[in-house]
Amino acid sequence: MNPPDHTSQEQDRIRAVYQQWLASERVSAYAWHRPDVLEQSAARLRVAGQMLAATVGADLAHARVVDVGCGSGGFLRQLIDWGADPARLAGTEYQPERLALARQRTAPGVYWHLGDLDFAGDGSVTLAVANTVFSSILEPDARSRLAAEMWRIVMPGGWCMVFDFRYNNPNNAEVKRVRRRELAAWWPGQECRYRTLLLAPPVARRLGHAPHLVSALLTACVPALRSHFVYMVRKPG
């Protein structure tokens, strides 16, 4: 008898959770036009842009990037706006519906892949990105395997980049925070950067119609209220 494929089981669980999430009313809490969502999207792009410019470089035209769990392609579209060449970008996804949206909404030339990172060769990319992907993976071994695959495809001197949760959500058992020590164990690079950001969503939603200065001051002055992080690590070589 063959041993159970825990990676496949975890992928099936994530697909089911996402489908259930789409069918629920919770999706309205993340509508793009909500004041708290607009504010947090701007903050996230500001931090990501600063970190990319300081690591990969301000000129993204020659960067080869793979966005792991790319969803509907939003981050890759942002990279294109910042000067990346669509022909040097790739996005992977397990949800075919989201990948179809990515193809529809994004400039021609991006390579879209349904499934794992098996299409990418060793050391073939400048930057491997995972946005709120690891927190969706509850099984530790599955997390480690994905991290190893990202490390495999990054060229020496290239970077891994993660945007994810610092804290568990007591109302959502289907996500699990990513600890800093996990990041260090996955990717043993000496050059790394870690920044916390974003006012915790429950607080941000309550302040959605308050003056922007209120949430900005809380975010700046109370680091414990920052719910997310961006981490970048450089592969030696």
Side-chain angles (χ1 to χ4, degrees):
M1 180 180 295
N2 293 327
D5 186 345
H6 295 295
T7 299
S8 178
Q9 292 173 3
E10 184 68 359
Q11 292 169 2
D12 290 342
R13 184 195 63 79
I14 294 170
R15 289 189 190 98
V17 168
Y18 178 75
Q19 292 297 330
Q20 184 179 9
W21 181 80
L22 275 183
S24 73
E25 295 181 356
R26 291 182 59 201
V27 70
S28 63
Y30 300 92
W32 70 267
H33 55 82
R34 290 177 59 100
D36 55 305
V37 173
L38 288 170
E39 185 175 320
Q40 295 204 354
S41 295
R44 175 183 168 187
L45 289 179
R46 182 169 60 252
V47 171
Q50 291 169 349
M51 293 184 74
L52 283 174
T55 54
V56 176
D59 183 2
L60 299 177
H62 301 290
R64 294 190 177 276
V65 182
V66 174
D67 188 357
V68 181
C70 64
S72 55
F75 187 72
L76 291 178
R77 287 193 293 278
Q78 184 61 62
L79 293 183
I80 293 170
D81 286 345
W82 287 342
D85 179 356
R88 294 175 179 267
L89 306 181
T92 73
E93 179 56 55
Y94 286 120
Q95 303 288 341
E97 301 87 354
R98 302 187 83 188
L99 210 57
L101 286 174
R103 287 192 179 97
Q104 175 186 332
R105 296 173 178 176
T106 310
V110 177
Y111 177 74
W112 305 106
H113 180 74
L114 184 66
D116 296 322
L117 289 169
D118 50 5
F119 70 93
D122 294 359
S124 60
V125 304
T126 314
L127 175 70
V129 183
N131 292 304
T132 58
V133 171
F134 284 96
S135 56
S136 298
I137 303 172
L138 304 184
E139 212 278 314
D141 287 343
R143 283 184 167 193
S144 296
R145 282 191 291 271
L146 175 58
E149 279 293 280
M150 290 176 66
W151 205 234
R152 175 186 66 80
I153 68 173
V154 170
M155 65 179 61
W159 294 83
C160 282
M161 182 180 194
V162 175
F163 168 77
D164 226 312
F165 294 104
R166 297 177 65 204
Y167 301 122
N168 288 326
N169 183 343
N171 299 315
N172 186 359
E174 300 296 343
V175 295
K176 182 180 179 182
R177 69 174 178 169
V178 180
R179 299 174 185 268
R180 192 167 181 178
R181 65 171 179 260
E182 288 182 276
L183 300 167
W186 293 337
W187 299 306
Q190 293 183 338
E191 186 177 351
C192 61
R193 297 163 188 250
Y194 183 92
R195 285 187 58 180
T196 58
L197 67 158
L198 303 188
L199 194 60
V203 180
R205 281 193 284 271
R206 288 182 174 87
L207 296 175
H209 296 286
H212 170 70
L213 183 60
V214 176
S215 58
L217 283 173
L218 278 175
T219 306
C221 300
V222 190
L225 290 180
R226 300 175 196 157
S227 57
H228 292 69
F229 69 86
V230 175
Y231 178 78
M232 294 192 69
V233 58
R234 190 173 195 176
K235 188 172 181 178

